[in-house]
Amino acid sequence: MNIELLIGTWLLTGSISLNSQIKFIGDEPDPNGVENWLNGNSNNLIAQVEATEGLTLTISSDGKFFEERTGEPKVYWFDREGVLESEVIPFNGHLSFYDSKAFLLVDDLVSWAVPNDEVSKKKLRYDDGDTKIADSIEVQGEQLIRTISVVTDELYLDRAIIVYKKANKRSLLTLPSAFCLPQPRSPKVAKNP
């Protein structure tokens, strides 16, 4: 994947989530079920996303990303520590590329949540032994599609599909002041009494 396609500020436009379980083959869980879920997507659901806003994702040319909450986004959200939260808690990190896919990884992850093998270290943003999270992004047309795939206890499956659009100059002007550069001010001149 070309990082140039990803660089810039992306504005949340919608999200959808789903829950499932690993399928069983006879009495045993599908031996490929966990990997298939973590590597999969649900792009067939993009047309069904529910509109929401209030989150930006900015990706820089050095491969770093940061998120900023600008409102009250309605998104099924797993935080940097793998916890399902009732609200979006932004985090920062860096991109990783593996097998022609881009993944969002957390900076300074606690050691017990770092994946064990080298391939998983490139794909999973969290793996504490009970919970595994893959957080991938791809550009489709004018949209950035983020797929957060979660497996808990090698059995329970969650996925959030988050859709963003590229910010333009006009949309950046409507962001909160935290995103705006300070404007030069005229010096105050005291008036003579």
Side-chain angles (χ1 to χ4, degrees), residues 45-58:
L45 299 177
I46 292 171
Q48 299 173 40
V49 299
E50 296 178 21
T52 189
E53 55 187 20
L55 180 68
T56 64
L57 172 65
T58 301

Side-chain angles (χ1 to χ4, degrees), residues 1 16 18 37 39-49 101 136-140 143-149 159-163:
M1 169 168 282
I16 191 168
L18 64 127
W37 185 259
N39 291 323
N41 65 51
S42 295
N43 289 348
N44 57 317
L45 299 177
I46 292 171
Q48 299 173 40
V49 299
K101 288 178 82 173
S136 64
I137 56 175
E138 62 181 307
V139 175
Q140 290 186 10
Q143 298 177 318
L144 179 81
I145 309 301
R146 181 175 181 178
T147 303
I148 302 172
S149 300
R159 180 169 288 145
I161 294 93
I162 305 171
V163 180

Side-chain angles (χ1 to χ4, degrees), residues 56-91:
T56 64
L57 172 65
T58 301
I59 300 170
S60 62
S61 60
D62 63 358
K64 296 199 178 293
F65 74 87
F66 68 92
E67 298 176 305
E68 185 75 29
R69 229 175 100 166
T70 59
E72 298 296 325
K74 303 296 181 214
V75 176
Y76 196 73
W77 192 260
F78 286 85
D79 71 8
R80 68 176 279 126
E81 296 176 356
V83 176
L84 177 61
E85 295 288 350
S86 60
E87 64 181 17
V88 171
I89 301 173
F91 56 89

Side-chain angles (χ1 to χ4, degrees), residues 91-164:
F91 56 89
N92 303 328
H94 62 278
L95 298 181
S96 174
F97 296 91
Y98 182 78
D99 199 22
S100 74
K101 288 178 82 173
F103 296 89
L104 301 178
L105 301 182
V106 177
D107 286 337
D108 303 321
L109 190 60
V110 292
S111 61
W112 47 264
V114 174
N116 291 326
D117 66 89
E118 291 306 311
V119 171
S120 292
K121 286 179 183 178
K122 295 176 184 178
K123 300 187 321 181
L124 299 181
R125 76 165 155 96
Y126 188 88
D127 181 0
D128 67 0
D130 293 322
T131 302
K132 296 179 181 183
I133 301 175
D135 194 342
S136 64
I137 56 175
E138 62 181 307
V139 175
Q140 290 186 10
E142 300 295 314
Q143 298 177 318
L144 179 81
I145 309 301
R146 181 175 181 178
T147 303
I148 302 172
S149 300
V150 181
V151 177
T152 306
D153 298 332
E154 302 284 318
L155 181 63
Y156 303 103
L157 309 174
D158 295 284
R159 180 169 288 145
I161 294 93
I162 305 171
V163 180
Y164 300 84

